[in-house]
Structure formats: C-alpha cells, structure tokens
Amino acid sequence: MKLFAFQDLDVWKRSSRLACDIYKELKTCRDYGLKDQMTRAAVSIPSNIAEGEERESHAESARFLYYAKGSSGELATQLYIAIDIGVVDKNAGLKLISETREISAMLGALIKIRKGCVREDTADYTTEPRT
C-alpha cells in the first residue's frame, strides 16, 4: 500500500535506485570522506523530491526539486573526481554519471511543471506568406 504521492514519481524511483547503486559501488571504498560526501549527495536527491512533494504548494515543491537537482550536479562532480583518483571504475562511474544527468533533466522538467512554466505555443494559422 502506497502512502505517499512521491512514490509514484519515476524521478523519485530512479534517484532512489541511484542512491542504492552509489552505496553498492562504494561498499569497499576506504576514502571515507569522499564516500560520505557521495552517499549524502545521492541520498539527498530522492529525499528532497519526497520532502518537496509533501509540501503544501507547487512553489515549495519546486524549491525542494531545485535542491535535488543541485545534489545531482554535486554527485556527478564527485563521480568525476572518484573516477580520476581511481576510487570508482571508469565504466561504472560513467554509467552513474549518465544516470545523474537523466535524473537532473527529469527534475528540470518537473520543476517547470510545478512552476507552471510549461505552456503550449499557440498555432499560427495565417494564410499570409511569412516574411
């Protein structure tokens, strides 16, 4: 039985899975500072989505979605660093970065919806030639 509306959002599902994947990837990591930063950023994404969706207004929801989007960028940066210093395998890291990009794009689209920015252009049906 689902109790919260955020559980129906694909972006929440994917970001929750990403957080689990980050934990699994870093299971044996001995760089505890970087590991802590990366896992916190990863967990922050679905957590902020959930918190925002539980707020009373679309504006508040959008604010927390922005936080989630920021955490996505933070995680991508940390993944690039982790790849560079050999903490994360390059192929695995690039797949995780790709997922953070897709999640970030999904968040951007959801922010536009929450802010009421998504509007359909009106069609121009004039028969006059355009100049």
Side-chain angles (χ1 to χ4, degrees), residues 64-83:
F64 282 88
L65 292 171
Y66 276 119
Y67 297 153
K69 194 169 179 352
S71 293
S72 181
E74 180 182 356
L75 179 59
T77 298
Q78 294 160 353
L79 282 163
Y80 280 118
I81 292 167
I83 291 167

Side-chain angles (χ1 to χ4, degrees), residues 6-59:
F6 64 80
Q7 292 173 302
D8 293 326
L9 294 173
D10 287 336
V11 69
W12 179 82
K13 292 174 187 174
R14 285 179 68 174
S15 61
S16 294
R17 174 58 35 217
L18 174 64
C20 294
D21 291 344
I22 291 294
Y23 268 93
K24 290 174 187 173
E25 186 64 33
L26 298 174
K27 190 174 187 172
T28 60
C29 177
R30 297 186 66 182
D31 184 335
Y32 300 111
L34 182 60
K35 180 179 182 176
D36 183 59
Q37 282 290 114
M38 291 177 72
T39 54
R40 284 175 182 264
V43 169
S44 178
I45 301 168
S47 297
N48 277 301
I49 294 167
E51 186 169 354
E53 291 305 298
E54 289 298 306
R55 295 295 173 142
E56 295 295 320
S57 70
H58 288 305

